[in-house]
Amino acid sequence: MQKIVILTGAGISAESGLATFRDAGGLWAQHRIEDVATPDAFARDPERVHAFYNARRAQADEVQPNAAHQALARLQAEHSGEVVIVTQNVDALHEAAGARDVIHMHGELARALCAACGERWPVTGDISPAEACPACAARACRPDVVWFGEIPYRMDEILNHLQGAEIFAAIGTSGEVYPAAGFAQEAAGHGAHCVEINLEASAVSRDFDEARQGRASEMVPAWVAEVLGG
Ligand code: OAD
């Protein structure tokens, strides 16, 4: 049975109303990575880093999944083989659309992480560095998101999935950030057919067998219908 592995990025949530990072007016045009998304930034100014992620959590709470998230949940429910969704996104829109066992390789806004003991716990609303860890009581609370300079989560598991995939699809991601940008090469090296679905060619389009350009809300349901029908 055909195994499908999907990687998603900020572009899949754009039509739900969440800003991407590198498009004009995206998050990295408004904030410097060095100020809000590195361990050094958090050590220097934890309040500022929390404010950035608190604002993103508030926005993410207000939006709904779009037709692309829904189509991937449908693919998972209806495809006869395994469908693994790996996302770089920290929102919960895949889950809101009904997807199961989503691998959040860059973490989740809906969780906090204790920088002292590594405990993770679910959070809603604003969080602050003063929040006590439920396990060790340290006041070292940070968002459970992966910053530049940190290692993404669950990489061994993801590499295993890529190596066993017959189809690999990357959706709404610029291909600028490794290791995710190298997933197509990894999957192709193990025989997967690789499909890119993005508004424009990504930085790693050459690694894919097909590149389909357009909006995720239109292109993804069409691709899913093809896969389920073919
Ligand atoms: P980017 O902002 O780098 O790229 C988003 C991609 O989505 C771009 O190539 C857009 O052309 C495309 N796009 C925008 N709207 C779209 C739409 N409606 N349909 C289809 N495609 C669309 O976001 P990511 O690739 O997810 O990491 O960024 C990767 C990582 O860089 C993020 O997880 C984050 C960021 O820095 C960390 O914070 C560690």
Side-chain angles (χ1 to χ4, degrees):
M1 274 190 287
Q2 209 177 39
K3 174 165 174 161
I4 303 175
V5 178
I6 292 159
L7 170 72
T8 64
I12 197 170
S13 296
E15 290 167 77
S16 290
L18 295 179
T20 61
F21 294 95
R22 295 176 180 77
D23 293 299
L27 286 164
W28 296 153
Q30 296 164 44
H31 304 268
R32 285 171 7 123
I33 288 173
E34 303 77 13
D35 290 336
V36 295
T38 67
D40 279 354
F42 188 66
R44 228 175 18 246
D45 193 346
E47 299 286 354
R48 179 175 187 172
V49 172
H50 271 290
F52 174 71
Y53 288 100
N54 284 341
R56 296 189 57 209
R57 190 177 302 104
Q59 282 164 2
D61 279 351
E62 279 175 14
V63 301
Q64 302 299 324
N66 64 54
H69 299 101
Q70 279 152 1
L72 294 184
R74 174 178 172 224
L75 182 65
Q76 240 185 359
E78 296 181 18
H79 180 61
S80 54
E82 190 182 5
V83 177
V84 178
I85 300 176
V86 179
T87 188
Q88 298 164 89
N89 298 345
V90 292
D91 64 55
L93 291 175
H94 285 300
E95 288 87 347
R100 285 170 288 105
D101 303 324
V102 178
I103 299 178
H104 282 271
M105 62 179 289
H106 288 168
E108 294 174 72
L109 289 170
R111 304 186 77 81
L113 168 66
C114 175
C117 78
E119 177 75 2
R120 295 191 163 82
W121 66 98
V123 291
T124 52
D126 287 358
I127 59 175
S128 83
E131 198 160 315
C133 169
C136 76
R139 296 188 188 279
C141 166
R142 57 169 276 186
D144 187 15
V145 298
V146 175
W147 288 324
F148 286 88
E150 297 182 320
I151 298 168
Y153 295 151
R154 300 172 67 180
M155 281 306 298
D156 289 351
E157 208 180 322
I158 295 170
L159 288 176
N160 258 325
H161 285 309
L162 292 169
Q163 291 164 6
E166 271 130 293
I167 299 179
F168 170 72
I171 301 168
T173 179
S174 60
E176 296 284 357
V177 177
Y178 284 83
F183 287 179
Q185 242 183 19
E186 182 69 25
H190 288 80
H193 178 79
C194 295
V195 184
E196 172 171 276
I197 300 176
N198 208 46
L199 211 47
E200 59 199 2
S202 79
V204 292
S205 277
R206 64 183 176 279
D207 296 336
F208 290 79
D209 300 294
E210 299 177 47
R212 302 182 179 199
Q213 288 173 21
R215 290 146 61 104
S217 65
E218 290 160 17
M219 307 298 286
V220 178
W223 174 72
V224 165
E226 260 176 56
V227 172
L228 289 174

